[in-house]
Amino acid sequence: GVAGGSPLLDAFLTAFQIPNLLRNLFGEGALSTAFIPRYAQLKSQDPATAERFAGLVLGRLTLMLSLVALALLAACCLLLAWGDLSSRIVMVAALAAPMVPFLVFICVTALVGGMLNVRRHFWISAACPVLLNLCMISTIWLSPEQEIRVAPYAVLGAGMLMTALSFLGLARTGGIPPLSLGSTAAYRDFRN
């Protein structure tokens, strides 16, 4: 590409690690490891309880990640407002800011992917990384002179598409669980 081994490319790769680190922690880490077996167990015993449980976990995860995203976005804005525009950290902040909401989308998509797997619906989870690659490739192909500056928007767009596709999969395989911030006995057991 045009960027080659430039500082701008290095800044983008660093900025892209922020949502990926959080995805590893929340979307594919301990939460998914604990959530999926519990959801599968509840699904086999009482599907309605399983869906309420899933809605609680999804609702609370989305709220928590949205708060984390707002804090990260505020930090990026502060760095951009008062930082030295030629410094690497400000360059990373400029490229990270559009990708911050991606962390919400990717973590929710990972959790929904686990639900889809329990429902024996596997292709959407496999297709989501392909969507990210297609968005990145098409963005670079359409605007090669600005590839790194527009790449964060491709990442954000891919996150939206992955989440939409995942929820479409839920809707077609038994319904979207009712999102909630309340609590149930199953959720309290899971939390403990």
Side-chain angles (χ1 to χ4, degrees):
V2 176
S6 72
L8 195 59
L9 177 60
D10 290 341
F12 170 75
L13 294 174
T14 302
F16 191 53
Q17 290 307 310
I18 295 167
N20 281 317
L21 172 68
L22 292 169
R23 181 196 72 207
N24 290 338
L25 288 173
F26 297 113
E28 296 170 352
L31 178 63
S32 280
T33 304
F35 168 77
I36 293 168
R38 183 69 175 136
Y39 176 70
Q41 178 188 31
L42 289 170
K43 192 86 170 147
S44 66
Q45 295 169 352
D46 183 359
T49 299
E51 295 310 310
R52 283 193 301 277
F53 167 70
L56 281 168
V57 174
L58 273 172
R60 288 178 179 228
L61 177 70
T62 303
L63 176 63
M64 183 200 59
L65 289 173
S66 297
L67 295 173
V68 170
L70 284 172
L72 285 172
L73 195 54
C76 288
C77 291
L78 287 172
L79 282 169
L80 290 170
W82 287 298
D84 175 11
L85 294 176
S86 63
S87 76
R88 179 182 156 97
I89 189 85
V90 173
M91 202 181 303
V92 169
L95 293 169
M99 286 190 287
V100 165
F102 176 70
L103 79 93
V104 179
F105 294 122
I106 193 66
C107 291
V108 167
T109 297
L111 201 64
V112 170
M115 292 175 62
L116 289 169
N117 289 341
V118 169
R119 294 178 181 188
R120 302 284 187 229
H121 193 76
F122 304 104
W123 76 268
I124 289 178
S125 296
C128 284
V130 175
L131 275 176
L132 176 61
N133 289 332
L134 287 174
C135 286
M136 295 288 289
I137 290 167
S138 61
T139 299
I140 290 168
W141 182 66
L142 290 172
S143 57
E145 69 285 344
Q146 294 291 321
E147 64 182 27
I148 299 304
R149 285 182 171 65
V150 297
Y153 298 98
V155 170
L156 178 59
M160 292 176 181
L161 287 173
M162 288 187 290
T163 302
L165 180 63
S166 297
F167 274 93
L168 180 63
L170 281 182
R172 291 181 172 216
T173 60
I176 297 171
L179 297 181
S180 171
L181 298 176
S183 189
T184 64
Y187 181 79
R188 286 189 295 277
D189 288 345
F190 171 71
R191 204 178 63 199
N192 296 331

